[in-house]
Amino acid sequence: MLNHLIDNFEEKFLRPFGRDQELVKATLASELENLADPAFLEKDVIGEPLFAWDYRAIDEGCLDLMKPFMQSHSYTPLFFCSVLRDLGCDPEKYSKASLLLEYSYYALGVIDYFDFHKVFTSHKNDLKSFAELTQLRYAAQYLIQYPRYLVIQNAFELTKAENIALHKLYATMGVTTGCGRGVFQKWANNCFKDMSEARYFQNCIHTLNNFLIFPVMTAAIFAKVSEADKNNLQDGFAALTLFSKLRLEKQIYLKQTDFKVEEGYSELFSLLNFPGMALLHDKIEIDGSQFKDNKYPWFTKMHQDMFASVASAAPEKAVAAIEKMEKELFETFLAKVSKTKLLGDTVSRICECYEM
Amino acid sequence: MKKLDEITKRMPSELNDFYRQKIEFIKRSIENYFPKDIDNAFIERISGQSTLYSPDLAGIYQTIFQPTQEYLDRGGKVLRPVLVALCLEAYGARIEDFEPVFGAIEVMEDSSIMMDDYIDNSLTRRGGPCGHIAYGYPMANISSCTAFALSHYLFYNNELNLPEDKALVLLDRIAWEHIQMAFGQIEELYWTQSNVGSITVEQYLQETVARCAFLTFRGPMRYAGILADAPAGDIKTLERIGEYLLVGYHLKGDNLDMSPDSPEWGKVAGEDITTGRRTLLINYLLQSATPEERDKIEAIICSRTDDEEKKKVVYELVLKYNIFSKTKDLAAEYNMLAKQEIDKLNVSDEFKVLFHQFADYATARRSL
């Protein structure tokens, strides 16, 4: 999804590092083989059983379900590799960290896609469909947890403090993205009536934590960046996350992007392309009456309605508000990162990507 | 919190005294650990990030904290924090030095049972509505997994100021437990959703240990052993005791699901049938039943029914083949194995008695 968040991402950001694509692809393919290999799992991940494992669960209970969600250009690991190189580290040494980034991306996709409402509003008490969704949800959960074996094994040859930091980063990524989604859900339940601009901005940063902040901070741990510099990088890339999100919104409003909500995957994209600024500034109305029979509205339907309204309303005030914010956010990004005197190449390529 | 007398009435006297001595301390720890009022500083503490704008504190509280808080407020038996206290004191540690641990363990427990509740499609827990009933499934899903993640903030922030090696060992063991839990979960859901009939007793027991031991009781015993600087050999023994106790505890729970022995149990009878769960009880029943009965049982299990009459058919077959006593015997066997391991611990006889009594309470005497 980084290609949606950063303009010209493939063309201007990734092109100089084509070899990383091969590295990430090979790493993910080899690790996927490991994930499905009982001998590997028993030796390196889950350990010998006290009784007996049932390895059928890997393919039939997890991978078969997750495969539709495991199609990706691996942009987050590629971004991670380029940041890593800019910090003076060899991406090859840390390529397995792609697993931490990529699998959490898949899993978050499932959590966003995972629309219980569809079952419980469309098919009353359909326990079988509910059970299938639950299995998918926990297949995703396994993919979130699985890569942590790399940290336990100290696969990246880090110090104890660095491994503690990696554990913490992984846990807090779960906390931020979870809090963001919780608040978003709460707003949806009230047809977004209690969403303010400041809350919306912070919630975008929390919700989209895994796209820019997580890879940069993972690379910062490997590159032994100081705590002060880490704080600046975190703040800088938080500003860039919001900048990118608002830029994408603006492009959608101005119909300058080919961002499409694909059939069957609408929930996957809902947080990224959510038209928050149009709701805040152009008074897009949500017809709550259609959800009055449900205690909790079906967000997918609400989302489709919002997009229809945005498409017809041409939200000019939202565009103006975003344009007012853009400069300030990008300057915050530049100021915070420049304090570290790190990531000069990354920053210059990001600057090149965006036409301000 | 359930009435103290109700909780402790089946406890032998020494364990009863120990429980009563610790309970107020544990309650305070939970209140301190999982605040009912959150501010920006707390959000930054649990998220490890500064906030550039104003987070919706009320929104975060209502969606992430409140659902778990409601479970906490209804009060469980807090067996896991009590067991942590037992392990710490058995190795000479002062529980006051580890005050937040008790809250962390109970928040982990209560956020994770919210996940169990929507997996099981349960209606009630501890006399109140389950998270997904009160808040809807999407919210319960996000809330439970986020509250579970943040319940570990004590450990990932190293707020006990442990030496690095000890802090890392704890985080590694917690991460390993999470992998185990997730693997066990996909095993169980695969069996249930795909109606897998060919599950061995060993696979069922392994799945139980993988899915549940992170909190019942291997995880808390291991963490307490590490915190109290128990000898390495004893930590291994504590882990094994936790696993054996879990088997006994879980088998008793399977029996209770089919036949609750108290209105205080707070769950609807036969949820395992409704969710199509292939418990050991069902496994044994299928082994004992005639082909015709087996077909009938399979049809009911596969139908995900909450029809009381159909559930009763299975229940009567369980009685006919005396399956309850079979699982009860196996639970007793693991209770005995746990006690044999307890006797190997390098702790005083006074604590061995308490561990034995805990084993009895958690398995044979489990009721609520």
Side-chain angles (χ1 to χ4, degrees):
Chain A
M1 303 312 294
L2 272 172
N3 59 324
H4 289 300
L5 279 176
I6 299 181
D7 290 359
N8 307 305
F9 182 72
E10 280 181 275
E11 186 192 338
K12 290 188 180 169
F13 193 92
L14 287 181
R15 183 175 285 171
F17 301 108
R19 64 184 186 276
D20 287 347
Q21 296 192 9
E22 292 309 311
L23 176 66
V24 168
K25 199 173 161 190
T27 303
L28 290 173
S30 138
E31 285 294 317
L32 186 59
E33 276 180 28
N34 285 340
L35 196 156
D37 176 5
F40 179 84
L41 292 177
E42 207 159 301
K43 181 174 164 289
D44 288 310
V45 186
I46 52 176
E48 286 180 17
L50 181 60
F51 302 99
W53 295 116
D54 184 355
Y55 287 111
R56 292 173 298 180
I58 288 293
D59 282 327
E60 296 172 43
C62 180
L63 290 177
D64 289 351
L65 298 165
M66 284 300 297
K67 273 176 190 159
F69 297 91
M70 294 172 85
Q71 315 296 324
S72 154
H73 293 289
S74 303
Y75 288 130
T76 314
L78 289 169
F79 178 66
F80 160 76
C81 284
S82 74
V83 169
L84 204 54
R85 185 178 285 106
D86 203 6
L87 288 170
C89 298
D90 178 6
E92 193 145 359
K93 185 176 174 190
Y94 301 107
S95 67
K96 283 189 178 178
S98 300
L99 217 58
L100 292 158
L101 303 162
E102 191 74 343
Y103 281 14
S104 55
Y105 169 68
Y106 297 151
L108 283 170
V110 167
I111 287 169
D112 293 343
Y113 166 77
F114 193 43
D115 193 349
F116 279 117
H117 287 306
K118 199 178 284 178
V119 171
F120 279 88
T121 54
S122 311
H123 317 280
K124 297 279 182 207
N125 298 319
D126 181 352
L127 291 179
K128 281 192 174 174
S129 299
F130 164 73
E132 284 167 17
L133 283 174
T134 308
Q135 190 182 0
L136 176 62
R137 162 70 181 78
Y138 279 90
Q141 177 80 6
Y142 181 60
L143 287 200
I144 289 187
Q145 299 300 341
Y146 172 83
R148 299 175 80 184
Y149 89 88
L150 294 165
V151 190
I152 297 169
Q153 285 191 345
N154 193 14
F156 307 111
E157 298 175 340
L158 303 176
T159 64
K160 290 184 172 71
E162 288 158 1
N163 267 328
I164 289 170
L166 202 49
H167 274 302
K168 176 175 177 173
L169 183 62
Y170 208 57
T172 53
M173 195 273 295
V175 172
T176 51
T177 54
C179 285
R181 280 160 174 78
V183 169
F184 195 76
Q185 187 73 50
K186 183 207 156 214
W187 289 342
N189 287 345
N190 194 24
C191 295
F192 296 93
K193 287 191 180 96
D194 42 5
M195 183 176 80
S196 71
E197 192 173 75
R199 289 169 177 179
Y200 177 57
F201 288 165
Q202 185 58 48
N203 211 55
C204 287
I205 295 168
H206 276 162
T207 306
L208 305 176
N209 227 261
N210 58 315
F211 288 105
L212 296 166
I213 299 170
F214 187 36
V216 168
M217 299 314 292
T218 304
I221 291 171
F222 294 152
K224 304 182 189 306
V225 169
S226 72
E227 287 306 308
D229 284 347
K230 276 189 200 162
N231 290 338
N232 278 315
L233 289 179
Q234 192 151 269
D235 288 349
F237 280 89
L240 184 67
T241 298
L242 180 59
F243 168 86
S244 306
K245 165 71 178 93
L246 296 181
R247 174 61 79 103
L248 178 60
E249 265 190 50
K250 186 178 85 169
Q251 288 172 337
I252 290 168
Y253 301 148
L254 297 175
K255 300 183 176 52
Q256 291 172 341
T257 176
D258 60 354
F259 194 107
K260 287 190 184 69
V261 178
E262 291 171 32
E263 190 69 31
Y265 285 86
S266 55
E267 297 82 9
L268 262 176
F269 301 110
S270 63
L271 302 175
L272 202 57
N273 68 354
F274 173 70
M277 292 297 271
L279 281 179
L280 286 163
H281 291 276
D282 289 275
K283 310 290 177 209
I284 300 293
E285 291 291 331
I286 298 169
D287 176 14
S289 66
Q290 60 183 320
F291 309 116
K292 67 179 178 2
D293 294 335
N294 296 319
K295 190 175 174 189
Y296 304 104
W298 179 16
F299 181 67
T300 309
K301 176 73 173 69
M302 190 188 291
H303 189 234
Q304 287 162 352
D305 289 355
M306 272 188 279
F307 260 86
S309 303
V310 166
S312 61
E316 291 168 4
K317 288 179 187 164
V319 171
I322 291 170
E323 286 178 345
K324 202 173 154 193
M325 287 289 300
E326 278 183 329
K327 195 165 177 286
E328 181 190 319
L329 282 169
F330 205 77
E331 279 174 1
T332 303
F333 161 65
L334 294 175
K336 292 282 182 183
V337 178
S338 70
K339 274 188 192 170
T340 68
K341 300 189 183 352
L342 297 166
L343 294 181
D345 183 50
T346 302
V347 169
S348 75
R349 275 187 294 131
I350 286 173
C351 289
E352 214 182 306
C353 286
Y354 288 111
E355 289 167 17
M356 297 299 285
Chain B
M1 183 65 64
K2 285 182 173 54
K3 282 183 186 164
L4 190 57
D5 291 343
E6 187 63 35
I7 293 170
T8 55
K9 71 180 179 188
R10 299 187 195 210
M11 288 181 182
S13 64
E14 290 85 351
L15 183 63
N16 193 322
D17 289 347
F18 185 86
Y19 188 97
R20 286 172 183 272
Q21 283 164 20
K22 307 300 176 211
I23 193 66
E24 288 306 318
F25 175 81
I26 288 171
K27 279 162 68 175
R28 275 198 307 280
S29 167
I30 297 167
E31 285 164 12
N32 292 338
Y33 193 73
F34 206 64
K36 292 191 173 177
D37 187 19
I38 56 169
D39 57 17
N40 208 40
F42 189 73
I43 294 300
E44 292 187 343
R45 181 170 154 200
I46 59 169
S47 69
Q49 297 181 9
S50 55
T51 48
L52 296 191
Y53 295 92
S54 308
D56 184 347
L57 293 171
I60 292 174
Y61 183 78
Q62 287 164 24
T63 57
I64 305 302
F65 287 76
Q66 191 172 304
T68 295
Q69 190 69 61
E70 287 177 8
Y71 278 56
L72 291 166
D73 286 346
R74 283 176 214 155
K77 296 186 292 292
V78 293
L79 280 187
R80 291 148 191 87
V82 168
L83 186 56
V84 168
L86 184 49
C87 293
L88 286 171
E89 291 195 347
Y91 289 96
R94 281 165 29 91
I95 58 170
E96 292 78 8
D97 294 339
F98 299 98
E99 193 260 354
V101 174
F102 303 91
I105 295 287
E106 193 59 14
V107 176
M108 285 179 207
E109 164 69 6
D110 284 24
S111 53
S112 70
I113 59 175
M114 198 191 313
M115 298 183 207
D116 291 344
D117 285 343
Y118 72 72
I119 290 171
D120 296 348
N121 206 21
S122 302
L123 299 174
T124 61
R125 171 72 75 167
R126 297 177 184 164
C130 293
H132 60 281
I133 301 295
Y135 293 92
Y137 283 85
M139 193 73 90
N141 178 36
I142 289 166
S143 182
S144 56
C145 61
T146 309
F148 183 74
L150 74 85
S151 71
H152 296 76
Y153 74 83
L154 169 68
F155 300 106
Y156 62 67
N157 284 337
N158 192 15
E159 295 190 6
L160 291 169
N161 292 315
L162 301 173
E164 270 180 2
D165 53 350
K166 201 192 266 194
L168 181 59
V169 166
L170 267 175
L171 286 169
D172 281 347
R173 299 327 295 169
I174 289 170
W176 184 83
E177 290 287 4
H178 290 180
I179 297 171
Q180 293 274 316
M181 171 183 61
F183 191 88
Q185 200 66 267
I186 60 167
E187 279 186 307
E188 191 202 33
L189 289 168
Y190 158 64
W191 294 342
T192 304
Q193 286 12 302
S194 304
N195 294 315
V196 176
S198 53
I199 307 159
T200 66
V201 171
E202 288 71 25
Q203 285 172 335
Y204 180 77
L205 295 179
Q206 184 63 40
E207 172 270 324
T208 301
V209 169
R211 185 167 55 86
C212 306
F214 73 108
L215 276 169
T216 313
F217 296 99
R218 179 180 63 202
M221 295 185 84
R222 166 188 277 158
Y223 309 148
I226 293 168
L227 288 169
D229 293 318
D234 275 29
I235 292 174
K236 291 260 176 227
T237 308
L238 286 169
E239 291 167 9
R240 190 48 51 91
I241 294 166
E243 289 166 346
Y244 289 158
L245 286 181
L246 161 64
V247 172
Y249 182 82
H250 194 81
L251 293 176
K252 176 77 174 170
D254 285 352
N255 282 2
L256 285 169
D257 174 82
M258 191 74 88
S259 180
D261 68 351
S262 159
E264 292 292 318
W265 176 237
K267 290 184 76 173
V268 178
E271 280 183 353
D272 286 342
I273 297 173
T274 303
T275 50
R277 181 168 289 153
R278 309 248 163 191
T279 63
L280 195 58
L281 198 121
I282 296 296
N283 195 327
Y284 281 156
L285 179 60
L286 288 167
Q287 286 174 26
S288 304
T290 64
E292 293 76 28
E293 287 168 338
R294 207 175 300 142
D295 288 347
K296 200 184 290 181
I297 297 161
E298 285 284 4
I300 293 171
I301 297 287
C302 293
S303 68
R304 307 285 184 274
T305 183
D306 53 6
D307 182 321
E308 289 301 322
E309 286 306 309
K310 286 181 179 167
K311 288 200 278 190
K312 206 172 161 198
V313 169
V314 178
Y315 176 70
E316 280 170 358
L317 287 168
V318 167
L319 291 179
K320 176 182 170 185
Y321 290 104
N322 206 14
I323 303 296
F324 283 136
S325 76
K326 221 174 160 181
T327 48
K328 206 172 154 189
D329 288 348
L330 192 62
E333 194 182 309
Y334 279 93
N335 174 288
M336 194 184 68
L337 287 171
K339 286 179 175 173
Q340 286 171 1
E341 294 296 317
I342 289 167
D343 290 339
K344 294 178 191 168
L345 293 173
N346 292 298
V347 300
S348 69
D349 288 345
E350 177 199 348
F351 280 98
K352 282 182 183 169
V353 167
L354 285 168
F355 277 121
H356 273 256
Q357 292 184 351
F358 186 92
D360 286 339
Y361 181 76
T363 56
R365 291 165 183 257
R366 178 183 177 189
S367 66
L368 299 180

